[in-house]
Amino acid sequence: MKILSVDKIRDADAYTIKHEPISSLDLMERASEKLFMWVCEHVDNKKSIEIFVGLGNNGGDGLALGRMLMNEGYEVSINVLRYSDNITDDFQINYDRLLDLDKHVVKNISSLDEFNAVDENTVIIDAIFGSGLSRPVIGFTGKIINEINKSKSIVIAIDIPSGLFSDVTSKNNGGAIINADYTLSFQFPKIAFLVPENDLHVGQWNILDIGLHHDFINSTITSNHYVINEDVVHTLKTRPKFSHKGTFGHALIIAGSFGKMGAAILCSRACLKSGVGLLHTHIPRSGITALQSSTPETMLSIDNDENYFSEVPDLNSFNAIAIGPGIGQSEQTLKALKLLIQNSNSPMVLDADALNILSNNPTWLAFLPQSSILTPHPKEFERIVGGWNNDFECLDKQKALAQKHSIYVVLKGANTSICFPDGQIFFNSTGNPGMATAGSGDVLTGIITGLLASGYSPAVSSVMGVYLHGLAGDLSAVENGMEATTAGDIIENLGKAFLDLKS
């Protein structure tokens, strides 16, 4: 699913109006009908509703929604914030329609003194400012937003929480921003929804398809994408009838050290569950019994060192190589990683301690094989690129790293972002907070490595791997609850995730 900027969304509206064709007023009505359907499904009609509207088209959506809810029997009050003398034509038409229906339902507010506190059992709908907002909300409108945030009411934002910028950071901008429980976005997610700094404002967001013209959507180029099932399912390969284990590649995982063999076990098990034909795991001698007893399908490549990775095995037979989970940062491991980077001709997957070693030796990044995949969590990423002032700056740093070194950067977290060497960023839609558990990252490394070895491109391996990892985590949360989900549970649900993807 594409994520479009505010300007391109505005162009999509204009193209739809011209080529469907449909009037802007009727397009607003169609959008409001989608809002109405969602509200009717999620809000009890015994609840009273207070709608706060601005003077633009976002306010027009709120007015049309209020009219539809009144006709459905909801108790509705409309608060029009008169912060300007400028209003849009479609706002005025919907305002007049509402007055014709019941003029007593509308209250015009031009100062904070005219604001009445909202009962906590009342549902608030925010239609003050839309996605085109370009400056912080201050003045009496900002004060009213702050009062709404103080209420204990459920708050539903139309298209985007008022005061929040769509395409740039809103952090520390000095303006007021609605803290919504739900955000109902038209047609596309906003990039603002996908960064941690806005979680308080956005709440749970939903996409409402308002029928913007598919010719425009299909032809519009964007560098930001939101990965959903239909984006992944068409990349899934069919396994040929006469295939054999050699058909699906041979992976090498370099993982584990004394006291950290669990990382090697989790990574190996996840790789085996991701379609790879053959797997060798390179471990220090102290891990032989643990690996052979826990993952009998794994062949072992045994290091001469008792406790650490210290030597690079023969790489000629492997289709994909992963390194990092649990390897530690000993001096011999550091030297061996450098040698591995120098001798590997195929894309590698680097995680955990491999990334920490790279952060202390940044010149090595230039020698990574092109299309290698880095899978840092935010702290590991910060060690590599330095700090950032806001999450949009973090995305810029992720893009710069991927483009500079022609690699894929998988920045783990809610809505894990995968940046391609050409600067495209794909935000993941699966996963849940229950996956914030020890070993979850080792599992992701194994999944991506298994897909890469079995013949998927680095691009597909990264996106599909992250999606399947999150989907398996979602299935685990349903089965076990978030609190009780472990990395092992994610592995055990990978089979169900593949089946779910195909269904």
Side-chain angles (χ1 to χ4, degrees):
M1 178 187 292
K2 293 180 178 180
I3 303 172
L4 300 188
S5 66
V6 170
D7 289 342
K8 288 184 178 179
I9 292 173
R10 192 178 293 117
D11 291 342
D13 288 342
Y15 187 96
T16 302
I17 289 167
K18 181 177 179 180
H19 291 87
E20 185 170 335
I22 185 173
S23 69
S24 61
L25 184 64
D26 287 340
L27 183 59
M28 180 178 287
E29 192 76 0
R30 188 159 74 193
S32 300
E33 287 172 356
K34 294 288 186 175
L35 293 169
F36 168 73
M37 292 168 62
W38 191 95
V39 172
C40 287
E41 184 176 347
H42 293 87
V43 179
D44 192 313
N45 62 6
K46 295 182 177 62
K47 289 271 189 181
S48 58
I49 295 176
E50 290 256 4
I51 304 178
F52 290 83
V53 304
L55 305 175
N57 285 344
N58 191 257
D61 293 327
L63 294 171
L65 171 62
R67 168 171 41 85
M68 295 173 188
L69 291 172
M70 290 171 62
N71 286 331
E72 188 66 17
Y74 283 84
E75 180 185 339
V76 178
S77 297
I78 309 289
N79 302 276
V80 181
L81 305 189
R82 295 287 178 178
Y83 51 78
S84 170
D85 293 329
N86 298 319
I87 59 176
T88 65
D89 292 339
D90 292 344
F91 171 92
Q92 186 64 56
I93 292 171
N94 274 298
Y95 182 80
D96 293 339
R97 286 176 174 176
L98 201 56
L99 290 183
D100 290 341
L101 186 63
D102 185 351
K103 65 180 180 180
H104 300 292
V105 79
V106 177
K107 179 180 180 180
N108 289 286
I109 299 176
S110 56
S111 72
L112 182 61
D113 294 338
E114 296 171 314
F115 172 83
N116 295 323
V118 181
D119 183 87
E120 65 181 40
N121 293 316
T122 296
V123 174
I124 294 175
I125 295 178
D126 160 39
I128 303 171
F129 296 110
S131 57
L133 186 73
S134 59
R135 59 179 182 267
V137 179
I138 56 175
F140 94 88
T141 309
K143 293 176 181 177
I144 286 177
I145 287 176
N146 290 332
E147 291 300 317
I148 290 172
N149 288 340
K150 290 177 186 177
S151 76
K152 297 181 180 179
S153 302
I154 295 295
V155 178
I156 302 169
I158 293 179
D159 200 34
I160 190 169
S162 291
L164 188 67
F165 299 150
S166 292
D167 302 329
V168 298
T169 185
S170 304
K171 189 176 180 181
N172 300 323
N173 71 8
I177 304 172
I178 284 285
N179 298 332
D181 296 286
Y182 300 93
T183 298
L184 309 180
S185 184
F186 296 136
Q187 199 73 49
F188 311 100
K190 314 291 191 290
I191 196 167
F193 299 172
L194 303 170
V195 294
E197 68 185 44
N198 293 330
D199 185 48
L200 172 67
H201 306 304
V202 176
Q204 179 181 319
W205 55 271
N206 300 266
I207 301 298
L208 304 181
D209 187 341
I210 62 171
L212 295 183
H213 208 292
H214 283 282
D215 288 350
F216 181 90
I217 296 171
N218 293 336
S219 64
T220 298
I221 297 173
T222 178
S223 60
N224 297 313
H225 311 264
Y226 185 65
V227 180
I228 57 177
N229 182 283
E230 64 189 58
D231 298 316
V232 178
V233 67
H234 76 275
T235 64
L236 190 63
K237 297 179 180 179
T238 301
R239 294 169 78 94
K241 177 180 178 181
F242 292 102
S243 56
H244 52 83
K245 60 187 177 183
T247 306
F248 303 110
H250 193 174
L252 171 66
I253 291 173
I254 301 172
S257 59
F258 183 76
K260 297 181 180 179
M261 292 313 302
I265 292 168
L266 290 167
C267 191
S268 299
R269 288 178 58 209
C271 183
L272 289 164
K273 281 277 193 176
S274 301
V276 71
L278 296 162
L279 170 64
H280 265 89
T281 300
H282 185 89
I283 55 169
R285 290 186 175 278
S286 60
I288 293 174
T289 300
L291 259 292
Q292 287 196 320
S293 60
S294 61
T295 58
E297 303 91 344
T298 303
M299 296 177 285
L300 300 187
S301 168
I302 303 168
D303 200 284
N304 280 326
D305 194 281
E306 183 71 18
N307 296 318
Y308 299 101
F309 165 53
S310 68
E311 59 185 358
V312 178
D314 185 348
L315 304 177
N316 289 325
S317 62
F318 301 112
N319 304 102
I321 301 168
I323 181 168
I327 62 172
Q329 299 181 57
S330 67
E331 187 63 29
Q332 59 264 49
T333 297
L334 186 150
K335 292 177 180 178
L337 175 58
K338 183 178 181 181
L339 191 62
L340 175 67
I341 292 172
Q342 290 171 337
N343 285 275
S344 179
N345 296 316
S346 300
M348 299 167 56
V349 184
L350 295 99
D351 184 33
D353 285 322
L355 298 175
N356 291 326
I357 292 172
L358 279 177
S359 69
N360 292 320
N361 300 274
T363 57
W364 297 5
L365 286 163
F367 299 97
L368 289 174
Q370 287 196 351
S371 297
S372 289
I373 303 167
L374 274 56
T375 62
H377 59 57
K379 202 64 183 177
E380 291 164 343
F381 185 63
E382 183 180 358
R383 294 186 192 115
I384 294 172
V385 302
W388 49 86
N389 295 313
N390 58 71
D391 293 329
F392 286 82
E393 186 177 322
C394 178
L395 291 174
D396 290 339
K397 286 178 176 282
Q398 182 183 6
K399 185 179 293 189
L401 182 66
Q403 291 178 317
K404 180 178 180 180
H405 298 292
S406 295
I407 56 177
Y408 293 81
V409 181
V410 178
L411 183 53
K412 295 181 288 195
N415 301 125
T416 290
S417 54
I418 305 109
C419 188
F420 284 17
D422 64 0
Q424 292 189 85
I425 298 182
F426 293 78
F427 295 90
N428 188 48
S429 64
T430 58
N432 63 83
M435 298 175 70
T437 185
S440 179
D442 304 326
V443 172
L444 176 61
T445 297
I447 295 170
I448 293 174
T449 305
L451 294 171
L452 191 62
S454 60
Y456 289 97
S457 68
V460 173
S461 297
S462 299
V463 174
M464 184 187 292
V466 169
Y467 185 89
L468 285 168
H469 179 250
L471 182 56
D474 289 340
L475 294 167
S476 300
V478 171
E479 184 177 296
N480 304 300
M482 291 188 192
E483 292 80 2
T485 291
T486 66
D489 295 327
I490 298 172
I491 296 171
E492 292 307 312
N493 279 283
L494 273 172
K496 293 178 184 176
F498 273 104
L499 291 173
D500 191 273
L501 190 60
K502 295 176 182 179
S503 63

